[in-house]
Amino acid sequence: MNNPLPVVAETDVAIIGMAGRLPGADDLDSFWRLLVEGREGITRFSREELAAAGVPTRLLDDPGYVPAHGVIPDVDLFDTGYFEFTPAEAAITDPQHRILLTAGHAALEHAGYDPTRYDGLISVYAGAAINTYLQQQVLPHVDQTTTSRHFAVMVGNDKDFLATRLSYKLDLKGPSYAVQTACSTSLVALHLACQGLINGECDMALAGGVTVKLPQAKGYLYEEGAILSRDGHVRTFDADASGTVLGNGVGVLVLKLLRDALTDRDTVHAVIKGTATNNDGSGKVSFAAPGAAGQTAVIREAHTVSGVDPRTIGYVEAHGTATSLGDPVEVSALTRAFKESTADTGFCAIGSVKSNIGHLDAAAGVAGVLKTVLMMKHRTLVPTVNHTTPNPAIDFAAGPFKVSTETAPWTGEGPLRAGVSSFGIGGTNAHAILQEAPPAPVTGDAHRTRYPLVVSARTATALAAAAQNLAAHLDGDDPAALADIAYTLAVGRRAHEYRIAVTGSDRAALARALRRTPVPERPGPGEVSFAFTEDVPDAAGLADRWAAAEPAFTRHHEAALAAGADRFGERGRAFAVQYALGKLWLDWGLTPAAVHGDGLAARAAACVTGALR
């Protein structure tokens, strides 16, 4: 069944893939659970943990020391073999480079694309935070007396090589840019990626950011009036707000023009209707202070370029640092931008993911986008944790905003829409307007009764893990059609040396088959041969079953019968079934390295290859 494509704007951009590792959530499923349950992902360390990490006793004894930080696990782990790093190369490479590379690969897999089989240009726009690994782990221990060693250290750690490393390792041939605007880095990267797509510079783009500051087990000294929280909790828009908490994390989005994504039948998670960036200039109290005029202007511009009426926006993911100056300035700027189009009050929910996971610096903006997209997909608003009493410096009653304080359905008369803000120290502001994805088209494979799933990996251990992970996924609540899952596994995954394939008629059967299928001890030959035989029990019944499952089979089978195959009796019917299967597999793109058969079956082999007509 073919559904007509919805009418879209030429500048609409689709988010077709996502990946993230965030404090308290090692993947997007666990991130959603954290959000919907209203939990914090910030870690509070014991004195013993901090002492073991090297925090001086004088700090541990200071009553103003706050033992809180947002961490992600296993930052020291990296699959050197998969990404073709030597152990020495990986050891001197900034974990931010390694973690962003892993997330970029995961995001492309989530989008269903193997870059080596994609004909278009894929770009990268990404940034990172300050490199503490170089200072603490590399320079004190690596001999840089040789030019080659010095060069290796530079390439493994400089921000300049962050995005191009992804392009090199993942074989991406579109423009590749490192983006650096402090806290707004990853949302500015999203803006630039959208511009690259709209301007025709690329066909697909990765956009995101990463922050990994080491050591992870650490806290900070609270200072009155500074940006860090008094008690290690981020209380955005709250009367007791005293600042933010820093954290580590990574997020990557895969983007494509919406019209192309719909044509290519990609899964669209959300639509970017428009983005804008600007800078505050000098019109503020200090270099690091927020600028109300700049924030108002960037939000207004995003509304204009997106063509979206602010009255239709049901949620704003705020920068929301919970500082005494930042929150009131931000809500005031938002209110002014909204009031240019509507005087209505209290219709738009507002929140900030920083209340859950802290401030992720270069990854802060993309974290807000990931949260907002997940809320749209689930049509659910999530609470701004630690919020009990509104900040008295913010006049919520006179404006369009109300703080989202509980998990609740997100409804609207039209498509759900949201704004996402990210403001960088130094004044580079970014704002994006998102809209929920259009309805997914109905899959055209409702006739199929069995589905083939193929899984591959570079090692037997990795293949076993991949098979078990896929089985667990099939046992979950993913609504994706089995036909779409089978297609993505076959086309949207890179084919590796160790492989298994299973078939089944439903999720439970496929999950059982994945768990039971033995993993090969050595790689397969990487080639396929077609073997034809005269002995095919119940060829007529087999033909009926294939005809019911695959309409294309019927066309080839009838052609073989019309050519006189059935005059040979049971052997001829076997010939016809195998010929039709062989032609069907060729239609699917399966090219055999060899084709052979015995007796009359040799004719089927010759006909399939075209050697005999």
Side-chain angles (χ1 to χ4, degrees):
M1 178 179 179
N2 293 320
N3 291 351
L5 298 180
V7 177
V8 301
E10 290 294 305
T11 55
D12 284 353
V13 173
I15 299 174
I16 63 170
M18 306 184 294
R21 293 175 59 192
L22 304 156
D26 208 31
D27 55 38
L28 295 185
D29 288 339
S30 55
F31 183 45
W32 176 245
R33 289 193 295 272
L34 180 143
L35 293 171
V36 80
E37 293 169 8
R39 293 186 284 110
E40 285 183 315
I42 296 169
T43 300
R44 303 186 73 86
F45 298 98
S46 68
R47 183 183 179 92
E48 292 72 24
E49 289 173 321
L50 293 169
V55 177
T57 301
R58 63 177 178 80
L59 288 179
L60 297 177
D61 291 339
D62 193 311
Y65 190 77
V66 183
H69 189 230
V71 307
I72 55 176
D74 302 328
V75 297
D76 57 327
L77 302 184
F78 180 63
D79 194 334
T80 55
Y82 188 90
F83 292 108
E84 298 180 338
F85 278 68
T86 66
E89 181 186 13
I92 64 170
T93 299
D94 181 5
Q96 295 182 117
H97 289 226
R98 294 188 254 125
I99 289 169
L100 186 71
L101 173 60
T102 304
H105 173 268
L108 281 169
E109 288 215 326
H110 189 249
Y113 279 96
D114 172 8
T116 63
R117 289 191 276 183
Y118 181 66
D119 293 333
L121 296 176
I122 304 178
S123 287
V124 180
Y125 303 81
I130 188 172
N131 183 344
T132 58
Y133 184 75
L134 175 66
Q135 302 166 8
Q136 299 171 11
Q137 299 294 327
V138 178
L139 294 180
H141 305 106
V142 174
D143 178 13
Q144 296 187 76
T145 56
T146 64
T147 301
S148 61
R149 196 60 173 163
H150 176 81
F151 181 78
V153 170
M154 179 185 67
V155 169
N157 289 275
D158 198 304
K159 289 180 178 180
D160 285 2
F161 307 109
L162 178 78
T164 50
R165 185 181 300 280
L166 264 72
S167 295
Y168 174 66
K169 289 295 185 179
L170 302 181
D171 194 26
L172 314 180
K173 299 180 177 67
S176 189
Y177 301 128
V179 181
Q180 298 302 151
T181 63
C183 320
S184 59
T185 288
S186 54
L187 200 62
V188 171
L190 176 69
H191 167 78
L192 294 174
C194 290
Q195 295 303 305
L197 289 163
I198 293 166
N199 294 335
E201 297 173 6
C202 56
D203 304 289
M204 195 186 305
L206 274 64
V210 61
T211 293
V212 179
K213 296 175 184 176
L214 301 173
Q216 292 208 97
K218 62 183 176 184
Y220 56 88
L221 275 176
Y222 170 72
E223 297 179 42
E224 186 71 32
I227 66 170
L228 296 179
S229 166
R230 180 189 305 110
D231 58 4
H233 299 285
V234 183
R235 305 179 187 278
T236 305
F237 308 132
D238 193 79
D240 290 333
S242 60
T244 194
V245 176
L246 302 181
N248 293 337
V250 63
V252 178
L253 306 168
V254 182
L255 312 175
K256 188 188 281 190
L257 286 176
L258 179 58
R259 65 171 185 268
D260 295 339
L262 294 174
T263 299
D264 297 340
R265 296 176 63 85
D266 295 318
T267 297
V268 178
H269 301 283
V271 177
I272 303 168
K273 295 294 293 182
T275 62
T277 62
N278 70 2
N279 192 275
D280 294 330
S282 61
K284 53 185 182 177
V285 298
S286 71
F287 176 75
Q295 291 181 18
T296 300
V298 80
I299 296 162
R300 183 194 304 121
E301 183 181 358
H303 291 165
T304 299
V305 299
S306 66
V308 165
D309 179 355
R311 187 61 183 83
T312 66
I313 295 174
Y315 177 78
V316 168
E317 173 63 20
H319 190 58
T321 56
T323 59
S324 58
L325 180 61
D327 283 5
V329 166
E330 180 172 9
V331 176
S332 174
L334 278 162
T335 299
R336 284 198 299 272
F338 271 65
K339 279 195 169 183
E340 291 186 2
S341 301
T342 177
D344 292 354
T345 61
F347 65 86
C348 183
I350 191 171
S352 173
V353 74
K354 291 179 180 65
S355 67
N356 301 94
I357 61 175
H359 193 331
L360 306 191
D361 197 343
V366 72
V369 173
L370 290 171
K371 170 190 171 181
T372 306
V373 172
L374 290 172
M375 289 198 301
M376 283 183 168
K377 286 174 65 68
H378 292 275
R379 296 183 69 86
T380 300
L381 293 169
V382 300
T384 301
V385 301
N386 304 316
H387 182 89
T388 55
T389 305
N391 187 332
I394 302 174
D395 188 3
F396 282 112
F401 303 107
K402 55 185 178 182
V403 180
S404 179
T405 58
E406 60 183 2
T407 299
W410 185 4
T411 60
E413 294 182 2
L416 301 181
R417 288 174 173 164
V420 180
S421 290
S422 193
F423 308 131
I425 287 178
T428 297
N429 306 307
H431 192 78
I433 304 297
L434 307 185
Q435 180 173 293
E436 71 175 323
V442 178
T443 181
D445 268 348
H447 64 275
R448 191 182 296 273
T449 57
R450 295 187 70 82
Y451 302 88
L453 303 186
V454 295
V455 186
S456 73
R458 293 192 61 170
T459 67
T461 301
L463 179 59
Q468 296 306 309
N469 289 341
L470 180 57
H473 181 78
L474 291 170
D475 285 338
D477 57 2
D478 177 25
L482 283 175
D484 293 335
I485 294 173
Y487 179 85
T488 298
L489 288 170
V491 177
R493 296 289 183 270
R494 188 168 299 189
H496 297 295
E497 295 86 352
Y498 288 81
R499 307 174 188 177
I500 61 171
V502 301
T503 64
S505 57
D506 55 42
R507 278 174 163 75
L510 287 163
R512 287 194 299 271
L514 285 165
R515 292 190 172 99
R516 294 173 180 171
T517 301
V519 172
E521 296 181 359
R522 58 182 59 86
E527 296 179 340
V528 174
S529 297
F530 289 176
F532 295 82
T533 177
E534 290 187 341
D535 183 21
V536 179
D538 190 22
L542 181 61
D544 289 342
R545 290 193 293 275
W546 271 100
E550 293 293 340
F553 171 89
T554 302
R555 184 176 70 255
H556 297 307
H557 187 247
E558 290 177 347
L561 295 177
D566 57 349
R567 71 175 182 271
F568 295 100
E570 190 63 28
R571 290 190 306 150
R573 285 187 284 275
F575 168 101
V577 167
Q578 292 177 98
Y579 168 81
L581 284 174
K583 295 294 284 185
L584 179 64
W585 293 333
L586 290 176
D587 290 346
W588 289 349
L590 189 63
T591 303
V595 179
H596 55 88
D598 56 73
L600 187 62
R603 295 191 182 187
C607 289
V608 166
T609 62
L612 182 65
R613 297 181 184 277

